[in-house]
Amino acid sequence: MADAPATLNPAQLDAVHHLSGPCLVVAGAGSGKTRVITHKIARLLQAGLTPKQIAAITFTNKAAQEMRERAKSLVGPRAAKDLAISTFHSLGVRMLREDGTRLGLKEQFSILDSDDVLGVLRDAGGASDNALARRWQWTISLWKNQGLNSASALRAAKDDDEQVAARVMQRYEERLAAYQAVDFDDLISLPLKLLQTDAEARAKWQNTFRHVLVDEYQDTNAVQYELLKALVDHPDERQRGLFTAVGDDDQSIYGWRGATIENLKRLPQDWPGLRVIPLEQNYRSTGHILRAANNVIAGNPKIFEKKLWSEFGDGEPVRLIEADGEEHEAERAVAFIQSLRGQGGAEIKFSDFAILYRANHQSRVLEQKLRSAQIPYKVSGGQSFFDRAEIKDLCAWLRLLVNQDDDPAFLRAVTTPKRGIGHTTLGKLGEFSAKWKKSLFESLFSDTLAAQLGAKAIGSLHEFGRYINELEHRARHTQGSEDAKALLLEWLKDIGYEQHLYDSEDSEKLAASRWTNVLDFVDWIARRCGGEIRQEGGTFEGEKQTVLQVAQTISVIISLAERGDEQDVVTLSTLHAAKGLEWPHVVLAGINEGLLPFKADAEDMTPQRLEEERRLMYVGITRARRTLVVSTLRRRKKGRDTVQGIPSRFIAEMKLDEAGAKEDPRERLKRLRAELAARGAPAPSPAA
């Protein structure tokens, strides 16, 4: 499919050149919104702003990096380097690093990741059940994203469970304050608090950014909108409301994690001079695909009117496949891939295909059939090996060996496994380190700490500190694969990590699986200490390294290990994870009532939920560039039972009968075999 033309279309130009006030660009799927943002940055520079006065905010580091690269090609590397292109959370970190002391944070405050938060919540709520702690974590995060603290959450609690969660939230807040730590939600709410309560800081940041651009605006939550509003609500009328929000009400699919479509409705109310510019020309998909998308989304009430169109012609009709069940559906998906590759030859790559579905569990049968057909694939959004809790535990210890001022690493290591150092001790240690502006590790050896802690607590802290120092010394002097493995296994035995895994898991099988991951991690480090480096081209021998040298490079190694976007493989992905991506050929699997729209037995399908599910279908359709297959099941699995499959209401809403092709998959496979036989190629075996 061709890229967007070198010149901007009239609507894009309108958005780029509107500099005098608030602007909302309603950017339909595939309408070139990133080009609009990067060209508007260039226009703002042309109008006299310096790069540091322009903030462009998006939702993922990958999207921010892509935006910076595209801006660099447009305005040059020097200007691009100084642009404030970041995620909301990265902007929050910057604001708190510069001005967090005004809120009582020390300059080197700790940022807790999801697993760190889970540990603090288990402790705060006295829970050994991870599932319960995760429910608290989810609820507290939603409250924070709505701008609620523990006191307001307690007043708003709808039932006993929420009252308990609000009380846990209060103890959680106390612990974070004592630890001088923040979580990811605080990276938005605390900068907002700073701007709302500190006039000097508010003036500084409003004058720092003279124009703010926000990508994927429909994905913002209530607190993120208030942060944007506080940044651009300048007291000088000439500088007030200088922002560009780029979003699409039809692609708002993250309500379950706090995003609210109400933010789109609020813009014209809060900013009466708002200029609304729809981008309707699509540079991705063919006419048949866009008509199906437009027909589906027409079932939702519209905040801003728009209708996608493209100059690519109608293309192939959208195909509807009715499969007997999940296995049959997976076989049909495989046949579709084989058929197109058979017709197109080497020009059609595996990476041109994606199979998208509503829920993670739907990938299992698809994976089995792809493996049987020897078709390479990746599961997008699957958990990285390095994101597993047990690996992050051990990385925290290794980070602490490298940098003893790494407070998040200290907090994780000192509490995992537990060693009789509780939150009261850590709270007082946190207060002491904040008062004397020292790291937590440096503070534990301070002579004056004894005035705040009892002899037993001091003894436990000193024992931990001495062990870290001894381990650091040994890691510095241990080189080579065998010696490194011996040291690492001895360390794990010393801290009782295997027993910790079995104690913290209800399932012995799961604990054993996690311990296997730990041993794999040990082997991985040991191999690198021995100089062995495995890459796609094979295994290479390098210089032997010490354990400490490998520990110092772990962050870089991990970031490299997670690359793999260029692999020639079929993508399996949930619809949520596929947002923002595109492929020439897409299969939408399991398009049935109960799956899409998703509905659990105990849940009511409210109008709001149905609208979000319809937007999810729209997102799925608009991932496809050339061909789209929609698959529905006659019978589907539901738990251990098999039930009759009801085609999703969204299939009828696509109005495929007006132009589409309904296909019997058996006939398609029969035709494929005949085509291959005519060419003298081996026919695919029937998938039974």
Side-chain angles (χ1 to χ4, degrees):
M1 195 58 60
D3 291 328
T7 55
L8 298 168
N9 67 39
Q12 291 173 329
L13 280 168
D14 198 7
V16 165
H17 289 287
H18 181 73
L19 308 181
S20 58
C23 179
L24 171 63
V25 181
V26 185
S31 62
K33 66 182 177 64
T34 306
R35 289 186 78 238
V36 168
I37 293 171
T38 51
H39 277 76
K40 186 149 193 176
I41 289 171
R43 179 69 185 90
L44 289 164
L45 292 172
Q46 191 182 51
L49 267 61
T50 66
K52 291 182 178 178
Q53 291 176 317
I54 301 170
I57 306 170
T58 187
F59 275 82
T60 66
N61 289 320
K62 185 177 179 181
Q65 183 61 31
E66 181 193 350
M67 193 180 292
R68 185 176 296 281
E69 289 299 320
R70 291 174 71 168
K72 185 163 70 175
S73 67
L74 204 59
V75 304
R78 184 178 297 178
K81 179 172 67 70
D82 289 334
L83 292 167
I85 298 177
S86 72
T87 63
F88 267 106
H89 292 95
S90 296
L91 176 62
V93 171
R94 174 183 168 184
M95 295 175 70
L96 293 178
R97 291 287 183 218
E98 291 189 29
D99 289 318
T101 51
R102 293 173 176 269
L103 296 174
L105 286 173
K106 66 176 183 179
E107 288 182 10
Q108 294 303 314
F109 60 86
S110 302
I111 301 171
L112 304 186
D113 68 16
S114 178
D115 290 318
D116 296 328
V117 168
L118 193 66
V120 177
L121 282 172
R122 275 201 311 265
D123 181 46
S128 57
D129 180 3
N130 268 347
L132 176 59
R134 286 205 186 280
R135 286 198 296 276
W136 289 336
Q137 185 177 13
W138 191 251
T139 302
I140 290 169
S141 179
L142 282 176
W143 281 335
K144 286 190 172 191
N145 289 335
Q146 292 165 12
L148 303 179
N149 60 18
S150 59
S152 48
L154 186 59
R155 288 193 295 271
K158 298 191 290 287
D159 53 37
D160 291 346
D161 288 344
E162 288 196 355
Q163 286 184 3
V164 170
R167 293 190 185 98
V168 171
M169 184 179 183
Q170 181 184 355
R171 295 194 286 273
Y172 173 66
E173 290 170 345
E174 292 167 357
R175 281 160 174 72
L176 290 194
Y179 295 166
Q180 283 288 300
V182 300
D183 62 23
F184 269 58
D185 297 318
D186 293 327
L187 296 177
I188 311 297
S189 60
L190 289 180
L192 174 60
K193 183 180 178 182
L194 175 74
L195 297 182
Q196 289 175 332
T197 60
D198 191 311
E200 192 176 333
R202 180 167 63 250
K204 169 191 166 179
W205 289 102
Q206 287 178 344
N207 289 319
T208 296
F209 300 131
R210 298 288 298 277
H211 199 103
V212 180
L213 301 102
V214 180
D215 191 18
E216 303 287 7
Y217 177 77
Q218 77 281 347
D219 294 336
T220 55
N221 60 43
V223 180
Q224 286 164 333
Y225 173 62
E226 291 299 331
L227 180 60
L228 168 66
K229 191 176 174 184
L231 281 170
V232 300
D233 197 12
H234 201 285
D236 184 339
E237 189 65 33
R238 292 168 300 175
Q239 296 183 47
R240 185 174 180 272
L242 297 181
F243 69 86
T244 302
V246 181
D248 183 4
D249 50 328
D250 293 335
Q251 295 188 72
S252 178
I253 59 172
Y254 296 115
W256 49 275
R257 69 180 187 200
T260 173
I261 202 166
E262 293 300 313
N263 286 350
L264 277 163
K265 297 177 182 176
R266 286 183 62 181
L267 278 182
Q269 298 165 7
D270 292 349
W271 308 95
L274 180 74
R275 179 76 183 278
V276 180
I277 302 170
L279 301 184
E280 299 175 294
Q281 184 172 359
N282 175 283
Y283 295 98
R284 176 186 300 162
S285 306
T286 60
H288 277 307
I289 292 169
L290 293 181
R291 274 195 292 278
N294 286 332
N295 288 340
V296 165
I297 206 63
N300 275 4
K302 305 295 282 184
I303 301 176
F304 303 103
E305 280 297 331
K306 72 172 187 312
K307 200 165 190 178
L308 296 180
W309 61 276
S310 82
E311 294 181 338
F312 295 136
D314 279 348
E316 286 198 37
V318 176
R319 304 173 191 173
L320 176 62
I321 286 179
E322 294 179 359
D324 294 335
E326 285 85 357
E327 291 204 5
H328 189 212
E329 176 179 63
E331 290 160 4
R332 301 289 67 79
V334 166
F336 169 67
I337 294 167
Q338 291 172 328
S339 170
L340 281 191
R341 278 177 54 81
Q343 293 166 17
E347 288 183 12
I348 298 183
K349 302 175 181 176
F350 285 120
S351 56
D352 290 339
F353 295 87
I355 306 174
L356 310 180
Y357 38 81
R358 177 63 175 83
N360 280 310
H361 70 83
Q362 292 173 264
S363 72
R364 187 180 60 81
V365 177
L366 292 163
E367 289 186 68
Q368 289 172 352
K369 296 301 178 183
L370 288 167
R371 282 198 299 268
S372 296
Q374 297 184 316
I375 294 176
Y377 69 90
K378 66 176 180 180
V379 181
S380 180
Q383 187 184 41
S384 160
F385 178 78
F386 295 100
D387 282 337
R388 299 178 190 277
E390 57 271 21
I391 306 305
K392 292 174 90 168
D393 286 344
L394 304 186
C395 283
W397 278 80
L398 296 173
R399 281 163 45 200
L400 193 57
L401 299 187
V402 172
N403 172 21
Q404 294 180 345
D405 290 336
D406 186 337
D407 281 359
F410 175 91
L411 286 171
R412 188 160 191 152
V414 80
T415 55
T416 313
K418 289 187 181 298
R419 54 182 25 81
I421 300 173
H423 75 270
T424 303
T425 298
L426 291 174
K428 289 181 178 177
L429 180 65
E431 290 169 9
F432 183 90
S433 73
K435 180 179 178 181
W436 297 104
K437 295 183 167 44
K438 295 181 176 182
S439 71
L440 293 169
F441 190 86
E442 186 183 4
S443 298
L444 68 84
F445 287 116
S446 175
D447 293 337
T448 52
L449 182 62
Q452 290 187 240
L453 287 171
K456 184 179 178 185
I458 291 285
S460 297
L461 287 171
H462 282 183
E463 183 184 349
F464 176 73
R466 283 193 295 270
Y467 184 75
I468 290 293
N469 284 333
E470 179 193 338
L471 189 60
E472 188 272 341
H473 176 80
R474 295 180 64 191
R476 185 183 296 277
H477 294 94
T478 300
Q479 188 180 64
S481 178
E482 288 186 18
D483 289 348
K485 185 169 184 178
L487 171 62
L488 294 168
L489 291 175
E490 186 180 343
W491 159 51
L492 293 172
K493 186 177 180 182
D494 286 346
I495 65 175
Y497 195 77
E498 182 178 10
Q499 189 59 49
H500 159 73
L501 290 180
Y502 279 89
D503 289 345
S504 58
E505 286 292 350
D506 295 332
S507 163
E508 213 170 283
K509 186 177 178 182
L510 185 55
S513 172
R514 293 181 65 191
W515 178 244
T516 299
N517 291 336
V518 168
L519 296 179
D520 287 345
F521 184 59
V522 167
D523 286 341
W524 180 80
I525 295 175
R527 285 196 303 271
R528 298 195 80 89
C529 289
E532 183 182 307
I533 302 170
R534 293 183 180 178
Q535 295 177 345
E536 286 185 16
T539 300
F540 305 91
E541 291 298 323
E543 289 185 13
K544 290 186 177 182
Q545 298 183 77
T546 67
V547 173
L548 197 65
Q549 285 174 320
V550 173
Q552 286 171 329
T553 60
I554 274 184
S555 294
V556 178
I557 293 167
I558 287 172
S559 67
L560 291 174
E562 290 174 352
R563 293 186 310 182
D565 293 342
E566 303 307 315
Q567 295 173 297
D568 185 24
V569 296
V570 174
T571 297
L572 299 181
S573 175
T574 64
L575 289 161
H576 283 103
K579 187 169 175 289
L581 304 175
E582 60 183 76
W583 295 268
H585 313 291
V586 171
V587 177
L588 299 183
I591 309 303
N592 284 74
E593 289 293 312
L595 287 172
L596 186 66
F598 180 81
K599 181 184 176 300
D601 288 340
E603 291 179 326
D604 292 327
M605 180 58 75
T606 64
Q608 293 76 20
R609 279 203 54 218
L610 180 59
E611 287 166 17
E612 180 152 322
E613 293 290 307
R614 184 176 283 114
R615 292 192 290 269
L616 194 55
M617 180 70 177
Y618 173 85
V619 165
I621 294 169
T622 53
R623 297 314 91 199
R625 289 162 57 183
R626 296 176 190 159
T627 58
L628 174 65
V629 173
V630 179
S631 176
T632 185
L633 304 169
R634 293 190 183 96
R635 297 186 66 76
R636 69 181 185 89
K637 288 181 180 171
K638 188 175 181 183
R640 295 185 177 182
D641 299 325
T642 300
V643 299
Q644 182 179 354
I646 301 171
S648 169
R649 67 194 77 187
F650 301 146
I651 292 176
E653 291 177 7
M654 292 170 78
K655 300 180 180 177
L656 298 182
D657 52 343
E658 293 180 3
K662 188 173 181 180
E663 196 165 77
D664 184 333
R666 297 175 184 81
E667 290 301 316
R668 178 168 182 76
L669 195 56
K670 193 183 296 180
R671 190 168 68 250
L672 169 63
R673 289 199 191 101
E675 288 172 3
L676 292 173
R679 293 183 199 167
S685 59

